[in-house]
């Protein structure tokens, strides 16, 4: 179900980052703000960059030219595909769970 | 808070240092943030994602390389002992005479060699285990939940196997030596 396998404890931060980048490129601080506003999860800077480095190494995100020391990142084609796969999978899980709860 | 950046490896700092420093300046520095940054630095050192601008393989070979350096002396020592005392092959030198039972038995050099031979496999095993094991702990409603996962390269697994084998051999040797010594003492006393 993971967007990228072998992310270990960074799988969840990585998913939140991919979702944050789904509507356009963002730099680190903007991602942290977006994630806390959307999901109420505060990603620490160490966690954010550990996950970013893994996503970049797997070719799921790519850096853009630096703007005033802050570097924006955007999803790659592979990143979009991986995110779509994972969200579809989560949607299936949610649908089954909700259906079972409704019939309980 | 730039000093926190120095905890990260050089290659990581070259790639992410400037933008990470900018992020730290923007974010409010709390003890939790500090702990998170330190944990990130440990992660960057133990599971490096970048080196000199190039991406690394998924598994770091660094722990295995450190281990093989640590295991060189005990392996050489064991090989010499097996050749000399086990197979009767004349070897370049007598390892027991040189290191353990020579005229300088209690010299610093002899004791240091003794310690290195016995403890190097233990250190090598620990280095690989620490780098391979990931322990996740989280507080859940009414308790503490934890997971332990292991990710290791084949090279690292090999280093762990060699370390374990050496620890086994040395432990068996120490136990048998003490048992034999006690039996001889009992025989002489009796």
């Amino acid at each position: 179900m993971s967007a990228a396998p072998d992310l270990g404890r960074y799988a969840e931060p990585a998913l939140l980052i991919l979702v944050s980048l789904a509507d356009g490129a963002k730099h680190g601080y903007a991602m942290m703000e977006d994630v806390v506003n959307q999901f109420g999860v505060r990603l620490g800077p160490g966690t954010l960059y550990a996950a970013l480095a893994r996503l970049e190494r797997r070719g799921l995100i790519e850096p853009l030219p630096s703007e005033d020391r802050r570097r924006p990142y955007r999803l790659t084609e592979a990143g979009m595909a991986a995110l779509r796969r994972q969200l579809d999978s989560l949607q299936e899980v949610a649908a089954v769970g909700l259906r079972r709860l409704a019939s309980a | 808070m730039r000093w926190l950046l120095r905890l990260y490896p050089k290659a990581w700092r070259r790639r992410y240092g400037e933008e990470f420093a900018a992020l730290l300046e923007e974010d409010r520095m709390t003890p939790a943030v500090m702990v998170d940054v330190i944990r990130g630095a440990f992660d960057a050192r133990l599971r490096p994602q970048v080196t000199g601008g190039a991406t690394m393989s998924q598994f770091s070979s660094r722990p295995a390389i450190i281990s093989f350096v640590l295991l060189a002396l005990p392996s050489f020592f064991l090989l010499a002992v097996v050749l000399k005392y086990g197979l009767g092959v004349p070897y370049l030198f007598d390892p027991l005479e040189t290191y353990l039972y020579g005229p300088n038995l209690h010299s610093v050099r002899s004791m240091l060699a003794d310690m290195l031979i016995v403890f190097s496999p233990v250190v090598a095993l620990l280095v690989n285990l620490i780098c391979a094991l990931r322990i996740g702990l989280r507080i859940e409603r009414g308790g503490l939940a934890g997971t332990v996962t292991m990710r290791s390269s084949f090279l690292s697994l090999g280093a762990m196997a060699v370390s374990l084998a050496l620890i086994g051999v040395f432990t068996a040797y120490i136990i048998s030596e003490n048992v034999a010594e006690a039996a001889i003492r009992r025989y002489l006393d009796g």
Side-chain angles (χ1 to χ4, degrees):
Chain A
M1 276 209 306
S2 173
D6 307 322
L7 284 172
R9 65 183 218 82
Y10 293 104
E12 192 184 319
L15 173 63
L16 296 176
I17 290 168
L18 291 177
V19 172
S20 175
L21 295 179
D23 65 351
K26 289 183 188 66
H27 55 73
Y29 190 70
M31 281 181 236
M32 282 166 66
E33 288 293 294
D34 184 44
V35 168
V36 83
N37 289 336
Q38 292 295 324
F39 310 109
V41 175
R42 176 156 283 282
L43 294 177
T47 303
L48 178 79
Y49 267 83
L52 276 181
R54 282 164 169 79
L55 290 170
E56 189 186 351
R57 199 185 73 186
R58 286 161 174 79
L60 300 180
I61 61 169
E62 62 189 359
L64 296 171
S66 213
E67 300 168 350
D68 189 24
R69 294 173 65 215
R70 300 186 303 185
R71 187 184 296 277
Y73 289 84
R74 72 172 170 210
L75 288 183
T76 60
E77 288 294 321
M80 281 183 207
L83 178 60
R84 195 160 289 127
R85 270 199 310 277
Q86 183 166 14
L87 293 179
D88 284 345
S89 172
L90 288 172
Q91 203 167 27
E92 263 174 52
V93 173
V96 171
L98 288 170
R99 213 167 38 239
R100 287 182 180 177
L101 275 177
S103 61
Chain B
M1 286 299 163
R2 282 192 84 95
W3 65 270
L4 279 171
L5 256 177
R6 301 213 60 85
L7 300 174
Y8 283 80
K10 212 178 268 180
W12 193 96
R13 290 204 305 266
R14 261 200 303 273
R15 170 62 189 85
Y16 296 110
E18 205 48 43
E19 53 191 284
F20 193 64
L23 176 64
L24 289 183
E25 284 162 22
E26 275 183 287
D27 199 19
R28 201 160 49 89
M29 188 53 72
T30 63
V33 168
M34 210 178 280
V35 168
D36 182 74
V37 172
I38 293 169
R39 202 164 61 169
F42 270 107
D43 173 74
R45 287 193 178 277
L46 294 176
R47 301 175 192 93
Q49 307 293 313
V50 279
T51 175
T55 54
M56 282 196 70
S57 91
Q58 215 154 306
F59 294 98
S60 168
S61 54
R62 200 176 298 170
I65 292 166
I66 294 169
S67 303
F68 285 123
V69 171
L70 284 167
L71 295 173
L73 180 65
S75 304
F76 177 63
F77 172 80
L78 190 66
L79 180 72
V81 169
V82 169
L83 284 175
K84 171 94 180 175
Y85 295 97
L87 303 176
V89 178
Y91 203 63
L92 292 173
F93 74 108
D94 185 328
L96 293 181
E97 184 68 29
T98 309
Y99 283 121
L100 303 179
Y101 302 131
N104 302 318
L105 177 61
H106 297 297
S107 71
V108 174
R109 203 186 77 169
S110 171
M111 279 160 61
L112 195 67
D114 205 355
M115 299 283 273
L116 271 176
I117 289 166
V118 174
F119 289 112
S120 292
V122 178
V123 176
L125 183 66
L126 286 177
V127 165
N128 282 283
L129 277 178
I130 288 168
C131 294
L133 290 181
R134 290 174 187 190
I135 298 168
L137 285 177
R138 62 186 184 281
I139 294 168
E140 288 187 350
R141 210 171 291 169
L144 188 70
T147 52
V148 179
T149 51
M150 184 171 163
R151 278 173 47 77
S152 185
S153 66
F154 286 118
L155 210 58
S156 236
L157 286 172
M160 282 192 262
V162 174
S163 306
L164 274 174
L166 286 170
I167 292 168
V169 169
F170 292 143
T171 308
Y173 170 74
I174 291 166
I175 291 171
S176 62
E177 190 190 49
N178 286 327
V179 169
E181 201 177 299
I184 291 167
R185 200 170 294 135
R186 268 201 309 275
Y187 173 75
L188 292 174
D189 291 345

